[in-house]
Amino acid sequence: SAPGEDGRGLRLGIWEELKEGWQHIRSKPIISFAMLNMTTATTLILVLSVVSAPFVKRILGIRADDAVYILAPAGIGVGLGALLTQRLHRRIPIFRLVNLGLLGFGISLIAFGSTNWIGRYLASGLPEWAVVQWLLGTVIVLALFMGLAFAFITIPAQTILQEHSPESLRGKIFATQQTMGNVASILPILFIGGLADLFGIAEVIVFVGVFVLGIGVFVLRHYGGQMGASGTPV
């Protein structure tokens, strides 16, 4: 067959697999619940990586290269969250654990962005070095909490996908999730930087935090009855 026909056949095959995976996701609320939260969490981490450099430069007044003060604690938080998830998974229903992570991430983002205004207030009565030290310490703690929240979302959600997906469809479901994550990640790459220049980096971070809280409330209301009733553990 011609190369063009082979390429078209490959694209159609991939599309059919994604469509089959999506149909299964829609048919099982627990799978769509896990998918929504995994996509949200991976997008949020990308948002954090995009805003961290301009945030430390504009708000903390230190070099953009020092964004490691945000990213490193977030990484430590993910590792700590993985350990805690193993301990909590028998005590807390999976729905509650994932929703706790989602709401915690949103609250942490709002507090993260609000450090800008708190710092301005403190600057009126404290020396600059003390304000910077306070801001940096607060940001490190919040980044740690965001990493922790990320683990609470993604690790149980991955477990859901593993346990509730038929083996024959598991690859298609994970491929669909990866595709959704890639599509969702386009938004922060395209718009976050421009919105930060237009409205301010702190304002954008707070807005994203409020948006995440909205997703958390939606998940709680939409899936709460179905998941809460079953109390499905990790």
Side-chain angles (χ1 to χ4, degrees):
S1 59
E5 294 179 357
D6 290 340
R8 184 171 179 272
L10 179 62
R11 289 192 296 272
L12 286 175
I14 294 173
W15 172 250
E16 288 299 322
E17 289 197 359
L18 291 176
K19 188 165 70 171
E20 189 175 354
W22 177 247
Q23 288 172 346
H24 182 73
I25 290 165
R26 290 187 61 188
S27 68
K28 297 191 70 173
I30 195 168
I31 297 292
S32 61
F33 163 78
M35 193 74 68
L36 172 63
N37 284 284
M38 282 187 68
T39 302
T40 301
T42 52
T43 304
L44 286 173
I45 284 295
L46 183 59
V47 168
L48 186 61
S49 67
V50 169
V51 302
S52 57
F55 183 86
V56 299
K57 184 177 179 181
R58 300 179 195 177
I59 307 304
L60 301 183
I62 59 180
R63 295 182 308 164
D65 294 344
D66 290 331
V68 67
Y69 286 118
I70 298 175
L71 300 180
I76 294 171
V78 172
L80 182 61
L83 294 175
L84 287 176
T85 300
Q86 297 298 320
R87 293 177 177 272
L88 294 173
H89 75 282
R90 297 185 184 278
R91 300 181 181 181
I92 300 178
I94 191 167
F95 169 74
R96 299 297 175 190
L97 188 58
V98 173
N99 202 245
L100 178 66
L102 194 61
L103 295 174
F105 208 127
I107 293 169
S108 296
L109 275 175
I110 293 172
F112 189 75
S114 299
T115 55
N116 175 44
W117 303 303
I118 297 173
R120 290 179 186 173
Y121 174 77
L122 293 175
S124 62
L126 293 174
E128 184 179 352
W129 66 266
V131 175
V132 171
Q133 290 296 319
W134 181 88
L135 286 173
L136 189 56
T138 302
V139 163
I140 288 173
V141 171
L142 289 173
L144 185 73
F145 274 112
M146 281 188 272
L148 190 69
F150 177 80
F152 281 177
I153 298 168
T154 55
I155 294 174
Q158 287 176 339
T159 303
I160 288 175
L161 292 182
Q162 289 282 356
E163 292 184 350
H164 293 269
S165 303
E167 191 172 346
S168 59
L169 290 175
R170 196 168 295 159
K172 298 173 184 178
I173 289 172
F174 274 96
T176 304
Q177 192 279 321
Q178 187 70 37
T179 302
M180 289 175 60
N182 291 338
V183 171
S185 69
I186 294 173
L187 297 177
I189 292 175
L190 290 180
F191 298 113
I192 290 294
L195 290 174
D197 291 335
L198 189 61
F199 297 107
I201 189 71
E203 287 78 2
V204 169
I205 292 174
V206 170
F207 172 78
V208 173
V210 172
F211 183 72
V212 173
L213 281 182
I215 295 176
V217 172
F218 166 78
V219 168
L220 193 62
R221 291 172 63 88
H222 185 72
Y223 293 100
Q226 302 167 57
M227 304 298 174
S230 64
T232 307
V234 178

